[in-house]
Amino acid sequence: MSNLSRPEHDDAVSNEVEGFLLWQATVRDAEQRARDFTRAIDWLTTSQRADIEQHYIAESLKRARQDIERIAARCFSLRAEYESRYQMLQRRCVALTVTITAGITAVCGLLTRLQ
């Protein structure tokens, strides 16, 4: 079976496309903010304006990348924490089920002996 037909592959491709589109929107936003910033400084030459815009865009994208990396790290830590809690709850449920089943079996065994 091909990797292209697996739902996990579809989710991964979908996530990559969404991430790419979000990053492109971030780039366009940074470019627009850079143009807005330099527009107010009317005494700049064309090359100075371009230099400032490029610097502004680079700094904006650097901060955006740092924000994304910080959020991703937090997501991974939360996932690990929730998986740990889920496994603990799962063990508790299994233990409770085994205990209740053993208790009911013991009660049934005692009732059978008493009759």
Side-chain angles (χ1 to χ4, degrees):
M1 180 181 266
S2 158
N3 283 346
L4 297 176
S5 63
R6 291 196 338 236
E8 304 89 31
H9 184 269
D10 292 343
D11 289 343
V13 170
S14 174
N15 287 340
E16 286 184 35
V17 169
E18 183 180 10
F20 174 79
L21 293 174
L22 286 171
W23 184 252
Q24 291 305 310
T26 301
V27 170
R28 283 191 306 275
D29 184 48
E31 291 170 344
Q32 182 61 48
R33 283 187 283 122
R35 283 190 296 274
D36 293 343
F37 178 75
T38 58
R39 188 177 297 125
I41 310 171
D42 56 358
W43 48 265
L44 292 173
T45 66
T46 303
S47 65
Q48 288 172 331
R49 185 178 312 277
D51 287 344
I52 291 172
E53 285 179 6
Q54 288 305 312
H55 181 73
Y56 189 101
I57 291 167
E59 286 300 310
S60 292
L61 294 178
K62 179 179 157 186
R63 281 192 307 272
R65 183 177 190 86
Q66 290 170 344
D67 291 343
I68 290 169
E69 289 172 350
R70 189 177 60 251
I71 291 167
R74 180 66 177 141
C75 287
F76 284 123
S77 71
L78 283 174
R79 181 178 183 158
E81 182 180 334
Y82 287 140
E83 284 177 352
S84 172
R85 287 184 182 184
Y86 175 76
Q87 289 172 352
M88 182 182 62
L89 289 172
Q90 191 176 28
R91 285 191 298 270
R92 284 182 181 174
C93 286
V94 169
L96 182 63
T97 302
V98 168
T99 302
I100 290 172
T101 303
I104 291 173
T105 303
V107 168
C108 289
L110 285 174
L111 290 177
T112 303
R113 282 187 168 188
L114 290 177
Q115 291 181 3

